[in-house]
Amino acid sequence: MALRARALYDFRAENPGEVSLRESEFLTLCSDQDIEGWLEGLNSRGERGLFPASYVEVLRGEPVSPQPPPPPPPPAGSHYSTGGYEPTQPSYHIVSPPPLGLRPASLPYQSSQASDDDDWDDEWDDSSSTAADEPSTAAHTSSFYGGFHDYDGSRYRTSTASSISSHKGSATVSRNLNRFSAFVKSGGEAFVLGEAAGFVRDGDKLCAVHGADGPEWQENPHPFSCTIDEPTKQTKFKGMKSYISYRLLPTHTGQPVHRRYKHFDWLYSRLLEKFPLISVPRIPEKQATGRFEEDFISKRRKGLLWWMEHMCSHPVLAHSDAFQHFLTCTDDKAWKPGKRKCERDDMVGANFFLTLSVPPGVPILDPHDVEGKLDGFKTFAKRMDDGVMQLNQTAGEFARKQAAGFRKEYQKVGQAIRGLGQAFEMDQVPFSSGLNRAMAFTGEAYDAIGEMFAQQPRQDLDPIMDLLAVYQGHLANFPDIIHVQRGALTKVRESKKHVEEGKMELQKANDIQERCNVICYATLAEVHHFHKIRVRDFKSQMQHFLRQQISFFQKVTLKLDEALQKYDAA
Amino acid sequence: MALRARALYDFRAENPGEVSLRESEFLTLCSDQDIEGWLEGLNSRGERGLFPASYVEVLRGEPVSPQPPPPPPPPAGSHYSTGGYEPTQPSYHIVSPPPLGLRPASLPYQSSQASDDDDWDDEWDDSSSTAADEPSTAAHTSSFYGGFHDYDGSRYRTSTASSISSHKGSATVSRNLNRFSAFVKSGGEAFVLGEAAGFVRDGDKLCAVHGADGPEWQENPHPFSCTIDEPTKQTKFKGMKSYISYRLLPTHTGQPVHRRYKHFDWLYSRLLEKFPLISVPRIPEKQATGRFEEDFISKRRKGLLWWMEHMCSHPVLAHSDAFQHFLTCTDDKAWKPGKRKCERDDMVGANFFLTLSVPPGVPILDPHDVEGKLDGFKTFAKRMDDGVMQLNQTAGEFARKQAAGFRKEYQKVGQAIRGLGQAFEMDQVPFSSGLNRAMAFTGEAYDAIGEMFAQQPRQDLDPIMDLLAVYQGHLANFPDIIHVQRGALTKVRESKKHVEEGKMELQKANDIQERCNVICYATLAEVHHFHKIRVRDFKSQMQHFLRQQISFFQKVTLKLDEALQKYDAA
């Protein structure tokens, strides 16, 4: 049975990785061992994250003081926050939901996923689920890189655990004390330290190659894409429960499959668990209410389309077993076994790293070069995150202004012209009727133009904002990826030092460096892939945006020209 | 010497026809006879109008109470205000500056004009003149028809003088007691009563003819127009004084003349005095300061162009002696005698009406028809005045919004796109430079579009507002014109009654009706002319507005297209 606790006070999550508590609610703990005053667990709404240990009573029966003590310092500092990252003193970093490097079957996160969706025909349903079924997705919407800017990054770093063990006499590179570190959780540490062991089938191999700009993922020799058709509402249990079903048509099979949001969600969780060094595109936010409203369904479908596009274009993700099962399983009876098989995958955590392979005969990457490149990427990502947030805000504000102020201004002009035209209709002279009709038409044209301004953002600004949301998700994924790579480089440095001090054999240190090199290759390949799709997506979306804007102003021009022609006969 | 008074308290003009006073300032009175508690005169700034008699001390030496008494009810009710006009009880109506039917040489308005501008070479100068040289032009900018809407028109009407004399035994139609009535001031009353006598030369004859839609002015057989070139700054007295000179080129002479604002102003006053039944277009507002600023000069020139256009297209005004002297006098030495001649014109006031002629053999217009037409025009004019004011306000607001909000929104979008592009420049990958350049260009394009929105109102909204100002002037002229016509009809009714009662000879009543018919013809011809130029002007200005708007949106489209093309190479 999972360890349980009860919240003594309300606690409001303020940083990524934290989870809010309500006084008296019951919590499921991942462990009763606190890390610097923080515990990890799930609240009663199924949201997983950290909360102050002093805010809860672990259910063993001790009484506590009635006033809430102050929470400990926030558990995570952004890698991209001010103050810079110092590789010898890694701050630990948590995202929600965190990728799990080791999968102890007793972890509630794991078990809740498995028990919830065991059977194809007896699953939780969209209509019956409440917000409690929907884990926190705060990181989807808030800026990951902006969240911690107010904190001095170094302040929390000083209190984090050093990765150097105090057992100076040990002959091995020690484990990081911070068990929430992405490096540790991903299994990266275990892999670098040579603790991973497993048999890698050829089909599981993920190959990084050396391209023109450095490491990149080996291109998919059989690229495919997948459409998502207009979702339809389905019912079951004699109409008692309803859900939205999407028809997916992958080009490489030509066989349509029907999937629900919960299937996307299952797949997303599998991929997060499986691929620590890869930025898994985020699925659209969950939503507890209004899930059958047209606007929401249309928005979700657009989000899923973006997700699908990014999945299909990723050389590694596109060919993962779970994704292929999701895309190709047309037989309801085969769904469950395939799903189980994916869940039983051995090549996760530390073993996942065994599946990574670098081009043979290529020299080991210079750690300084790698570090420099990733420092550059960190700076870039911070700037891009700021820029994305700024553009998102501006676009949202511009859309609102067009729907309100712009529409109002043009319609007021229309009304005033129409009003004067109506006054003119009382002039008792026959030769003005043409002018009066033309002015009435002009007034209506300006009304229409106001309405066009109000509707236009759906065509141009909304797609831009959808794009920005996808990239906000990617940018929020990278700190963990970089953290794994940093952790590996730190191990290399430590092992070299140990060799110098005669505490480690050279061969062992070389093995560590070789395994670290695999991680460096994969990380740089992933960064390369990010830039590749980013340039592709922003180029095509900016083109789409400008084409839509041009078409909009052309429509306005046509409307005005129509009005102008009315005066020819006036 | 003119009668003088001193202001005892500050008084703020709130309605057309009133003039503001400053405590202790000296005033020139037109008469020391107050009308319902109001006096007429000029304040120290040369503004002519009405003010409460109790607010001033007529300079005979009586002491007064130190607290200002409440002002009497406003002196005028709009003819187009709610409550309707009742022809048997005309409310009296004053506009500023009022047309003067009789020109007693002692009137300060008259004498100040004559003495100020006696000599071509020794005149008041723009640079030395202050606001005191510039009579009130409040009626140019505020809505004449809207000004009194808050008052109940009938309230003031009950206290106005009836035009029926109480001397029942009199054998003639009596004079109107309200000597400020436009009917009286214009000389219309004297004319209708048969008191005008003068020799009308053929060249002075103003012919109304019967057109397709009723009476209209005989078309000008030799139409002409006149350009006004970019004004230049001139100096005299060795640079001590400067003024702006406009180069006018009338097409019917082909000889350029140079005129200053003061010459326009002189001409305008002459025309107002000469033509009571004609809506003399108003010259642009006077301005005490900033007269040499480029914006003001350009705005004034546009106003003068509109004025010139309306002068040249009016069959009566275009051929008036004063206007022709103004347009054609190229010899400085001839200017003064010609000007004097115009000022000595005998055919003004009651005599002016003698110059009007109706087509021979056409039956007398049915007074009911005329009344109905003018009632319709009154309703129309009220609605048009409201519509003009509404469009003027809307256009002004729209121009401000484009210069502020619209510009800001587009420039914020530009800034956000540029910001993201700048973040992208830090990405260390060679294949993104095209995208980065394209995004920088797009950002600049949106900046430029914001600026285009801000500048556009000069091209389309400003001309519309100029047009509306011209028509606000015309609409403010019509109440007086209609009032003269109403007064004449009242006299006809009175004379018929007198005949029925045996108090008047039939021939005398018929003569009155015939003279009234001349006024009806002229009034309807003037209304017809108004509609004709209105339809022409609004048609051409709406076309201009729409063409400018189309051209604007086409420019925006081109700019966006330019940005779009940058992505081809990205």
Side-chain angles (χ1 to χ4, degrees), chain A residues 461-495:
Chain A
L461 291 171
D462 281 3
I464 285 282
M465 288 192 280
D466 290 342
L467 172 80
L468 296 176
V470 171
Y471 277 86
Q472 277 181 321
H474 279 304
L475 289 169
N477 289 338
F478 270 96
D480 272 355
I481 295 169
I482 292 174
H483 194 82
V484 172
Q485 192 274 334
R486 298 268 192 209
L489 280 178
T490 305
K491 295 296 171 211
V492 170
R493 264 192 297 275
E494 284 173 27
S495 63

Side-chain angles (χ1 to χ4, degrees), chain A residues 213 373 380 383 401 409 423-424 426-428 430 446 534-535 539 542 545 549 553 557 567 570, chain B residues 213 373 380 383 401 409 423-424 426-428 430 432 446 534 539 542-543 545 549 553 557 567 570:
Chain A
D213 307 314
K373 280 195 176 181
F380 158 80
R383 286 287 300 270
K401 284 274 163 66
E409 287 306 319
F424 283 0
M426 310 187 72
D427 63 5
Q428 305 174 298
Y446 273 84
R534 173 182 63 81
V535 171
K539 176 183 168 176
M542 285 304 297
F545 174 76
Q549 282 265 290
F553 285 114
T557 305
Y567 290 85
Chain B
D213 308 313
K373 281 195 176 180
F380 158 79
R383 285 286 300 272
K401 285 274 164 63
E409 288 306 319
F424 283 2
M426 310 186 72
D427 63 5
Q428 305 174 300
S432 79
Y446 273 84
R534 174 182 63 81
K539 176 184 168 177
M542 286 304 297
Q543 286 176 319
F545 174 75
Q549 283 265 290
F553 286 114
T557 305
Y567 291 86

Side-chain angles (χ1 to χ4, degrees), chain A residues 213 372-377 379-380 383-385 387-388 390-391 394-395 397-398 401-402 405-406 408-410 412-414 416-417 419-420 422-432 435-436 439 442 446 449 453 461 468 528 531-532 534-536 538-539 542-547 549-554 556-557 560-564 567-570, chain B residues 213 372-377 379-380 383-385 387-388 390-391 394-395 397-398 401-402 405-406 408-410 412-414 416-417 419-420 422-432 435-436 439 442 446 449 453 461 468 528 531-532 534-536 538-539 542-547 549-554 556-557 560-564 567-570:
Chain A
D213 307 314
K373 280 195 176 181
L374 292 176
D375 274 346
F377 182 74
T379 309
F380 158 80
R383 286 287 300 270
M384 174 166 172
D385 194 55
V388 162
Q390 190 60 45
L391 183 54
T394 304
E397 186 59 24
F398 191 43
K401 284 274 163 66
Q402 287 187 69
F406 281 53
K408 207 179 78 188
E409 287 306 319
Y410 280 93
K412 270 162 65 185
V413 170
I417 291 174
L420 188 56
Q422 282 163 356
F424 283 0
E425 281 168 21
M426 310 187 72
D427 63 5
Q428 305 174 298
V429 292
F431 53 80
S432 79
L435 173 67
N436 301 346
M439 286 184 70
T442 308
Y446 273 84
I449 289 169
F453 265 103
L461 291 171
L468 296 176
H528 177 267
H531 284 312
K532 206 172 114 182
R534 173 182 63 81
V535 171
R536 177 198 68 182
F538 276 86
K539 176 183 168 176
M542 285 304 297
Q543 285 176 320
H544 174 82
F545 174 76
L546 288 170
R547 285 197 192 103
Q549 282 265 290
I550 288 169
S551 144
F552 167 70
F553 285 114
Q554 281 171 341
V556 170
T557 305
L560 292 170
D561 198 53
E562 215 180 318
L564 177 60
Y567 290 85
D568 291 345
Chain B
D213 308 313
K373 281 195 176 180
L374 291 177
D375 275 347
F377 183 75
T379 310
F380 158 79
R383 285 286 300 272
M384 174 165 172
D385 195 54
V388 162
Q390 190 60 46
L391 183 54
T394 304
E397 186 59 24
F398 191 43
K401 285 274 164 63
Q402 289 187 68
F406 281 52
K408 207 178 79 188
E409 288 306 319
Y410 280 93
K412 271 162 66 184
V413 169
I417 291 174
L420 188 56
Q422 282 164 357
F424 283 2
E425 281 169 21
M426 310 186 72
D427 63 5
Q428 305 174 300
V429 291
F431 52 79
S432 79
L435 173 67
N436 302 345
M439 286 182 71
T442 308
Y446 273 84
I449 289 169
F453 265 103
L461 291 171
L468 297 174
H528 177 269
H531 285 312
K532 206 172 113 181
R534 174 182 63 81
V535 170
R536 176 199 68 183
F538 276 86
K539 176 184 168 177
M542 286 304 297
Q543 286 176 319
H544 173 81
F545 174 75
L546 288 169
R547 286 197 191 103
Q549 283 265 290
I550 288 169
S551 145
F552 167 69
F553 286 114
Q554 281 171 342
V556 169
T557 305
L560 292 169
D561 199 53
E562 216 180 317
L564 177 60
Y567 291 86
D568 291 345

Side-chain angles (χ1 to χ4, degrees), chain A residues 301-314:
Chain A
R301 179 175 159 267
K302 282 194 288 174
L304 291 174
L305 273 170
W306 268 113
W307 178 87
M308 184 60 84
E309 164 63 25
H310 273 215
M311 284 298 296
C312 293
S313 61
H314 197 291

